Amino acid sequence: MYSQNNMSFMPEEDLLYTILADMKRTVREYTTATTESNCPSVRQMFTDLTNDTLRLQGDLYRLMSQNNMYSTSSKALRIDLDKQIQEARKTQQECQQFIQQKSSSAGVYGQPMHQGQSTHQNNPYYM
């Protein structure tokens, strides 16, 4: 339909950029779903979907970059990257310490549930 007289729906570069942007959004959505899922099999499914989408997004980015369809941002200084990595590692370590501290002194959360309350924790049909 659009192929007559070299007419197309939209320029190829714009179409690819739209797909690339949608893949970035999809990765964010999958990541959110992964972090919010309680069921291990659902969590694994979203982890796999995230990884597959990241691979596809990377392949599309490389293709666009090789064909001069995507301009990258300016190069970052190594010192700035190292600082960001150091801050991220510090935050990660603090989170791990917090979780470990709260896990070892579970308090109210570590006590068994009252009879009459049910839990879906071990049931794979609940998230």
Side-chain angles (χ1 to χ4, degrees), residues 42-53:
V42 171
R43 184 178 180 93
Q44 186 60 53
M45 177 194 66
F46 280 118
T47 299
D48 294 343
L49 286 168
T50 301
N51 290 335
D52 290 344
T53 306

Side-chain angles (χ1 to χ4, degrees), residues 37-48 123-127:
S37 60
N38 188 29
C39 175
S41 60
V42 171
R43 184 178 180 93
Q44 186 60 53
M45 177 194 66
F46 280 118
T47 299
D48 294 343
N123 190 333
Y125 295 105
Y126 292 93
M127 299 189 320

Side-chain angles (χ1 to χ4, degrees), residues 17 20 24 28 34-35 40 42 50 54 63 68-69 110 119 124:
Y17 188 81
L20 187 67
K24 291 178 188 179
R28 284 191 303 272
T34 303
T35 59
V42 171
T50 301
L54 283 170
L63 174 77
N68 297 320
M69 294 180 170
T119 179

